[in-house]
Amino acid sequence: MRYEDVREVVRGRVLLAGDAGFEAATMPWNVTVPQPVAAVVEAMDAADVAALVGYARRAGLAVATQPTGHGASGDVEGAILLRTGRLGEIEIDAERRVARVGAGANWAQVQAAAGAHGLTGLPGSSAVVGVTGYVLGGGLSWFGRAHGLASDAVRAFEIVDADGNAARVDPGTDPEMFWALRGGGGDFAIVTALELDLFAAPGLYGGRVLWPGDRTRDVFDAFVALTAAAPDALSLWFQRVEFPDAPPMVGIDAAYLGDPAEGKSLLAALDTLGGAMLDTRGVLPVASVGDICAEPTDPSPVLCRGALLTDLGSTVTDLLIDGPIAPLTVIQIRHLGGAFAEPAAVTGARGPIAEPFVLNLLGLGLPHLTDAVLARQREILGALRGHIGATKPLTFLAPGERSAEAFDETTLARLRELKRVRDPHNVFRPNFPVLG
């Protein structure tokens, strides 16, 4: 069988090498990641997904699913790249506080739909990240300190299995698959829709405050003091920023899910620092939570490495707070704790996160900077050995890392056995394969 035959199988658009638009269709959000796929399929609906998977199984081909490509790792050579952007339906059951979300929807769309009912999902920092991939990887939300991992908020998955059969997966119908998909990645099925718990959103107060870089130690000390006393409804992220040809800056991003007056009061300590260059704090609709970090929404060349931090002791602060940042552009520390550290009522593959902070090291993936950025990331993480957790969520893996770095040995063995049983022909090619 040939890749050309896919056109006879699905109703959505199929692009092959040489077709107009093929290169653009293969592009992930992170443009530094090459995607040497053999074909691109833009599924019309869940039936298209089932037809494609059935064909791939019979033909001995692999399918890599990427709604937006935010987590692309480049491990897709020879695969069929499945785009699910047209599966973007969103249904809100406000009475039950449940959202049914198609595989192509992003968080901005879900937040807008849920916010109209005074509810919220568990989005991360970017509004344009796809809900499905984020949830499959665990999902560290602005509101996770209050409500836990986004993967633990899933009630059910609608999937296509490795034989091309559609099924609904929940704790009663297929507990092992349900467990794996909640933070274990997309190695076991293609999710065409999912049902998510929604949460009350009585208000949202937050924003970003930036100071000149020479205030880094003062701002960090304020961050430490605020996080030590923060209620679970308050999330705080510290970051040093140094863009090319721009002065160094330091900032705190904050989000409080609750009475805005309470949120403003909790963050009043930042006012005493004085000298802020920018202050966007205010009352926000939950649909605008993605605006807090002002992350780029267009495809960008980025190199990011992450790790869970066990502490903010002198070894960590000497390196991350007092040391140089270049050639990186951002060093970010997010406060975790709260519900992140608590086990869910129904466990998933991504279990509780005991570490109180997560570290992001970000640089520009430009040709003249790439080698230096990667070297600096390796240098920092090597120096922090002993202050970094043994695992991290899949969504914090970078190209070149493996899924084994996301799970303990027992969880990884369980995931690998499920892969062997449910997808013995390796039809599904996720960003970070558990057998890789």
Side-chain angles (χ1 to χ4, degrees), residues 91-180:
E91 302 168 11
I92 304 295
D93 186 332
E95 184 175 346
R96 295 172 56 232
R97 293 188 179 178
V98 174
R100 179 184 177 276
V101 180
N106 65 32
W107 274 112
Q109 295 163 336
V110 171
Q111 288 300 101
H117 301 277
L119 301 171
T120 182
L122 298 179
S125 56
S126 173
V128 298
V129 165
V131 174
T132 301
Y134 169 90
V135 167
L136 290 174
L140 301 184
S141 172
W142 273 116
F143 310 139
R145 283 176 37 79
H147 299 296
L149 290 161
S151 55
D152 288 338
V154 180
R155 291 193 176 195
F157 297 91
E158 296 173 26
I159 69 163
V160 171
D161 68 18
D163 291 320
N165 299 316
R168 176 185 167 86
V169 173
D170 60 32
T173 60
D174 193 341
E176 192 69 1
M177 180 69 81
F178 186 71
W179 168 84

Side-chain angles (χ1 to χ4, degrees), residues 171-208:
T173 60
D174 193 341
E176 192 69 1
M177 180 69 81
F178 186 71
W179 168 84
L181 293 175
R182 295 170 90 217
D187 224 328
F188 319 100
I190 292 178
V191 174
T192 57
L194 41 86
E195 292 181 9
L196 297 170
D197 283 327
L198 298 175
F199 303 91
L204 175 62
Y205 182 87
R208 164 172 288 180

Side-chain angles (χ1 to χ4, degrees), residues 19-44:
D19 290 344
F22 175 77
E23 294 298 330
T26 67
M27 190 71 67
W29 183 85
N30 183 353
V31 299
T32 68
V33 179
Q35 298 224 106
V37 298
V40 178
V41 173
E42 297 173 353
M44 187 74 70

Side-chain angles (χ1 to χ4, degrees), residues 283-351:
V283 181
L284 299 171
V286 293
S288 297
V289 66
D291 295 344
I292 292 175
C293 290
E295 292 184 358
T297 56
D298 293 330
S300 303
V302 295
L303 299 170
C304 190
R305 294 288 297 273
L308 295 172
L309 289 174
T310 60
D311 64 89
L312 294 180
S314 60
T315 299
V316 177
T317 56
D318 288 349
L319 186 64
L320 299 181
I321 309 306
D322 299 325
I325 184 172
L328 304 180
T329 53
V330 177
I331 292 178
Q332 181 191 69
I333 300 173
R334 301 184 184 185
H335 185 211
L336 299 180
F340 282 126
E342 299 297 327
V346 178
T347 60
R350 174 71 262 172

Side-chain angles (χ1 to χ4, degrees), residues 1-3 5-7 9-10 39 41 48-65 78-82 160-165 190 423-429:
M1 294 186 181
R2 303 173 304 165
Y3 290 104
D5 296 333
V6 175
R7 290 194 171 101
V9 174
V10 301
V41 173
D48 254 7
V49 175
L52 174 63
V53 172
Y55 173 83
R57 164 69 181 84
R58 296 189 301 273
L61 304 176
V63 177
T65 307
I80 299 171
L81 181 62
L82 173 63
V160 171
D161 68 18
D163 291 320
N165 299 316
I190 292 178
D423 185 17
H425 301 283
N426 205 25
V427 176
F428 301 128
R429 185 87 63 81

Side-chain angles (χ1 to χ4, degrees), residues 15 31 84 116 242 272 315 340 362 427:
L15 295 171
V31 299
T84 55
E242 192 170 317
T272 65
T315 299
F340 282 126
L362 188 145
V427 176

